[in-house]
Amino acid sequence: MQYSHEVEEMVCVKKGPNHGAAPIPEEGKWIQSKEIKDISGLTHGIGWCAPQQGACKLTLNVKEGIIQEALVEMLGCSGSTHSAAMAAEILPGKTVLEACNTDLVCDAINTAMRELFLQIIYGRTQSAFSEGGLPIGAGLEDLGKGLRSQLGTMYGTLKKGVRYLEIAEGYVTKMGLDKNNEVIGYEYINLGKMMDLISGGTSADEALKRSKGKYGRFDEAVSFINPRQK
């Protein structure tokens, strides 16, 4: 340790009371975090790249400073999905500090990691007041049955109006319109359910039929359109 001449010449003033770091809530406990291993919690965060053409929702489950589980969900950029494949392999086993200083290839994922780091070290996790935290696998439960991200893809123009493409229930195949050509419902396919049925031995045609659903006043529609073709 090197000190400047000015510091060396100073009179030493004794340090007063030092109560340490303010405690933060972690998995149902109040913790004075001093080291990375003092950090635990499950949380979510959003990241974006510099041109803002893609986004990442990142979910991490951290136990004693080490990432035990990572869910990487991407939107808007084809290259970022491949980066997510690498990030999901890279992140588990790293400390949250290591993860912040690891090139996760896609800036959206890197930004999400930064935002999660801030949440985690300040005690702002989703599991802050959950006694014992959440088990490894809790991140996967966010995807629900069929293990698909919750997506909403809608498109609209002033001239031709709105098109529903994908919604929480699934892939939209038809939009139902009333006599005024206003949307009153839609038909969808739950792709996760359909693929589960096919994997279980159900024929593709039968799986498609069993995975269809309707929402709103679809049956009362005067006309129907395929949002991707009309």
Side-chain angles (χ1 to χ4, degrees), residues 185-222:
Y186 53 85
E187 179 188 72
Y188 63 87
I189 298 172
N190 186 317
L191 295 177
K193 181 179 179 181
M194 185 176 77
M195 294 309 298
D196 283 346
L197 288 169
I198 293 172
S199 298
T202 305
S203 70
D205 286 344
E206 179 62 23
L208 181 63
K209 291 177 185 177
R210 290 169 57 181
S211 302
K212 281 187 176 181
K214 297 176 287 187
Y215 189 84
R217 295 183 289 122
F218 186 78
D219 291 334
E220 300 174 25
V222 173

